[in-house]
Amino acid sequence: MGAGGGARRPVHPGCSNAGLEAFNNRIKVAIRMAYGFHHVTNLIALVMLRCGGLDIRLPQPAI
């Protein structure tokens, strides 16, 4: 390989960074959702809610 970089092979065959890329995408979507927030702490709270792994169920009306 040259000094210009380019695509590199994974260190361990069969491993990928797909999980990390998915997590990064969730953070980027949360940042787009938070456009217009006045404080960065609100953005951090939104990222923690979306990426923290909590399963929050909203109340559903009884039918």
Side-chain angles (χ1 to χ4, degrees):
M1 277 199 223
R8 297 182 183 201
R9 285 180 260 162
V11 176
H12 303 287
C15 293
S16 72
N17 64 344
L20 183 61
E21 291 293 332
F23 188 71
N24 188 29
N25 188 39
R26 290 186 70 143
I27 292 175
K28 287 182 179 182
V29 168
I31 289 171
R32 283 195 303 267
M33 288 174 59
Y35 180 76
F37 282 8
H38 293 288
H39 301 286
V40 73
T41 53
N42 295 339
L43 168 63
I44 293 170
L46 181 64
V47 169
M48 296 287 280
L49 280 173
R50 290 189 47 87
C51 300
L54 291 176
D55 188 23
I56 300 173
R57 302 282 179 179
L58 296 176
Q60 301 274 331
I63 297 176

